[in-house]
Amino acid sequence: MTIILRNFSHLPQSPQLKVDLKCSKRFAGCGRHSLKRAFTVASPILQRTYPVLPGAGSTQLRIFSGIPGCDYRVSSNLAAGSNFTLTGIDFYASGNVATSNGSFTLSYGIESLTAGCPRLDGGTQLLYEATAHTLFLRSAQTVTKLWYVDELQKSNKSLALARTLANLPASTRIQWREVKTGNTALELQARSHDLHELSTIEYEVLTGEVLLDCQLLRPGGVYALVIGQDSEGFVSRMFEVTEPNSMSMLWLIPQYVVMTLGEVMFSVTGLEFSYSQAPPSMKSLLQAFWLLTVAFGNVIVVVVAELKFFESQASEFFLFAGLMFVDMLIFMWFAFYYISYDEAAALEQNKRRFKGRKNRKCH
């Protein structure tokens, strides 16, 4: 790199070379600015599609009721919304709850508001930080209060994640069948509450030949299908635990346009600059060093992505935009004080020196 920054002020410079170098510096600077802007614009767009995850110092609580026709009042020691009512098949989410020493001890009571409905006892439950906990109320099985750790993160394959919460006899078979093909995508027992990854198509949910529900799953969504049964038959309701992806694929068009412009203005001019400003014997070496800087940039991306310094990719994009801004300031400083190298003038001067030495030898 010291070769590039040599002082060539003693060499004559052509006006055309000065113009070319000024254009190269300007295009390279614009390229850096375009790449920085692409990362900056993409970050807030991505943030709109992320789920709200419990982080360090907080936890989350969700309660599903799978008992149709029955209303329950739940009281708890939660700071906000400590008392609420679940009406039939219903759902409650607490949002983030502050923890102390890595956990929060939940005390809760459940009171039936509908005559003839099953009685459910309250209790205590330890909620750990950075974890989403869910309680499912189901009177048709031995364990009437099912606690499990919930998964809020979206699928990294642009698929949907679905959980079946059935307040039915434990051995009841439930099928998820594709509407278009009629193929069975998932078959499970009512006692199962596992999270399954499914394609983003329309499904019929059945027990035997009885249709329980019909749902269209969307990319990135995390769903919970709650099924119950009353005197009139089966009752079901689908809840979105995590909102599906709402960002259109068309948002990729401006990102690719801006990044392509940045690459064209930055990469091409950089290669041309490293070639034109290198001495004849070092042109390949200097171009190799230029490409090596690209490799170092890829290493930085890999380190940041794999070590997961941030919970969201949007924060990573803001970091990359900040690094590009710092890089742009350093580039501006070097470009301002750089003295260009004219290869033609250098060759001409070498010829004169060679002739001068030859003439001295002759004399």
Side-chain angles (χ1 to χ4, degrees), residues 185-250:
L186 178 65
E187 186 171 1
L188 46 82
Q189 291 184 328
R191 67 168 63 93
S192 173
H193 63 278
D194 296 333
L195 193 65
H196 297 274
E197 200 169 48
L198 297 173
S199 301
T200 53
I201 55 177
E202 191 174 7
Y203 293 91
E204 293 177 335
V205 183
L206 307 98
T207 175
E209 293 301 323
V210 180
L211 180 64
L212 302 177
D213 207 330
C214 187
Q215 291 289 337
L216 174 64
L217 304 185
R218 296 169 57 195
V222 180
Y223 300 91
L225 176 62
V226 181
I227 305 171
Q229 187 175 16
D230 58 14
S231 58
E232 298 180 359
F234 295 102
V235 182
S236 63
R237 185 177 176 186
M238 179 71 88
F239 297 95
E240 288 184 356
V241 179
T242 297
E243 184 182 354
N245 296 339
S246 58
M247 186 173 64
S248 172
M249 292 292 288
L250 295 178

Side-chain angles (χ1 to χ4, degrees), residues 11-12 15 23 54 101 104 106 115 124 133 141 354 363:
L11 299 176
C23 292
N101 297 323
F104 174 81
L106 173 69
T124 60
H133 298 265
Q141 298 190 26
F354 180 76
H363 292 293

